[in-house]
Amino acid sequence: MKIINWGIVSTGRIAALFCQDLAFSPQSHLYAVAARQQADADTFAKQYGVDKSYQGYQALFDDPNVDIVYIATPHNFHFQQAYDALMAGMHVLCEKPMTVSVEECQQLCQLAQQKGLLLMEALWTYFLPAMKQAKQWLEDGKIGQLKHVKVDFGYPIPFSPNGREYNRQLAGGCLLDMGIYPLAIADYFLAADIDDLYVQAQLCETGVEDDVIIIGKSEQVAVSLASSFQCRLSNNAYLIGDKGYIVIPDAFRASECHLYHLDDLVDSYTDNRHSLGYHFEADEACRLVALGITQSDIVSHQDSVLFQSQLARVKALI
């Protein structure tokens, strides 16, 4: 089993959660971390047992011992950092949304293909066992013909005009920050793109959206999605068919799912994991790198471009 050396771009909360879970990924080795300040990189390296710590991200990209980088900075920085890593010959796992425009996403995908490198959006939800089980029930016809998909994701984030979430210059707003989850989770179960969009949004005083409701249709399936900085939403996903339905509690970090026929619970699944679940995507990235495969068939380049297209279409209606 080839051990894959990870380089971590950023020392923020998501980077910390990801590194915590790499302990559950047998092919993964925490080799390097970079931050804007050396002291932050040093502290992070000591806490998570990382071999090398660098001030500045280019210093990490210049280290030939790094196999793959995990980019966990705010999304408006993703494009340039992913571009620089690919140009340095490194594979890339980039947090979602991978970019802030369709054009940026397409450019990164083309560059990765030209370089023969893995580029994968870190949509960890797609790799969770409970999501896979729910999809299997759907494909097995357990709920009959799919009629409705309902997903939401929201947590209250106190308003701060200078905070990343509310700053227009930092691509703020709940759509890119949280809305990527409902859109991507819906896409995971749908056979076609979402059309006939209707969007209802509320804007805060900095001009970014802090609550968004999206209604649309995917062929014959009605789609209802929501994201919010104002309040905690149910954060569940519902797949509703003409014979039953599936509920996935806290779908963005799903650890369980339940199958119903009308009012009766007929099956349940729980993964009983001891991790947060980020290691499943890390395992996939390591497997692909070791095999020399440059694109995941679970989160493909086409998927990432689709997410960007949907985000752009929703944004245009806000």
Side-chain angles (χ1 to χ4, degrees), residues 4-284:
I4 305 300
N5 283 341
W6 285 87
I8 309 300
V9 177
S10 175
T11 56
R13 184 180 66 87
I14 298 299
L17 296 176
F18 181 81
C19 289
Q20 177 182 320
D21 264 16
L22 281 190
F24 296 91
S25 177
Q27 271 190 277
S28 296
H29 175 65
L30 265 174
Y31 172 75
V33 63
R36 287 176 295 178
Q37 303 298 324
Q38 185 69 54
D40 292 337
D42 291 343
T43 298
F44 191 95
K46 183 177 180 181
Q47 183 174 0
Y48 294 100
V50 187
D51 296 346
K52 302 282 186 179
S53 57
Y54 291 111
Q55 180 175 3
Y57 304 127
Q58 190 60 48
L60 186 151
F61 301 149
D62 290 339
D63 187 332
N65 293 314
V66 175
D67 295 311
I68 184 170
V69 297
Y70 170 65
I71 297 174
T73 51
H75 37 259
N76 57 302
F77 298 119
H78 289 175
F79 171 78
Q80 190 61 54
Q81 291 163 350
Y83 181 90
D84 291 343
L86 291 168
M87 290 298 293
M90 293 176 180
H91 304 282
V92 173
L93 176 66
C94 184
E95 264 305 330
K96 64 207 161 305
M98 189 156 65
T99 61
V100 296
S101 74
V102 174
E103 293 74 22
E104 286 183 349
C105 187
Q106 290 173 329
Q107 188 174 343
L108 288 181
C109 293
Q110 291 168 1
L111 179 60
Q113 290 168 353
Q114 292 168 3
K115 294 284 188 179
L117 296 167
L118 173 69
L119 173 66
M120 188 172 90
E121 192 163 6
L123 197 67
W124 68 304
T125 305
Y126 274 29
F127 299 91
L128 299 176
M131 293 293 288
K132 295 180 179 180
Q133 179 60 70
K135 193 168 190 175
Q136 190 63 58
W137 282 337
L138 176 64
E139 292 174 350
D140 289 344
K142 299 293 186 181
I143 62 170
Q145 185 175 351
L146 186 62
K147 295 293 186 180
H148 289 263
V149 172
K150 302 175 183 288
V151 193
D152 55 39
F153 182 53
Y155 276 96
I157 296 181
F159 177 75
S160 171
N162 298 318
R164 176 188 65 81
E165 294 87 356
Y166 293 98
N167 190 326
R168 290 182 67 90
Q169 302 306 312
L170 296 179
C174 67
L175 178 62
L176 291 182
D177 199 273
M178 293 184 175
I180 180 67
Y181 274 107
L183 281 166
I185 290 171
D187 284 328
Y188 184 73
F189 296 106
L190 294 170
D193 195 1
I194 304 170
D195 297 310
D196 298 330
L197 291 176
Y198 166 78
V199 177
Q200 178 179 304
Q202 298 183 44
L203 303 181
C204 64
E205 61 188 71
T206 59
V208 303
E209 72 286 349
D210 60 2
D211 194 272
V212 177
I213 296 171
I214 304 166
I215 297 173
K217 197 170 188 180
S218 176
E219 294 183 337
Q220 300 305 310
V221 181
V223 181
S224 303
L225 313 172
S227 63
S228 183
F229 284 166
Q230 294 186 7
C231 53
R232 189 196 191 282
L233 301 176
S234 74
N235 297 342
N236 298 338
Y238 294 90
L239 313 174
I240 303 170
D242 56 7
K243 295 182 180 178
Y245 69 94
I246 298 165
V247 58
I248 311 169
D250 280 341
F252 72 102
R253 60 184 177 196
S255 62
E256 60 184 289
C257 55
H258 308 282
L259 174 64
Y260 288 82
H261 286 170
L262 296 179
D263 295 327
D264 299 324
L265 176 64
V266 296
D267 204 354
S268 288
Y269 172 86
T270 303
D271 67 18
N272 295 313
R273 67 177 184 256
H274 297 289
S275 66
L276 296 171
Y278 291 96
H279 68 93
F280 294 114
E281 66 178 1
D283 287 344
E284 171 72 355

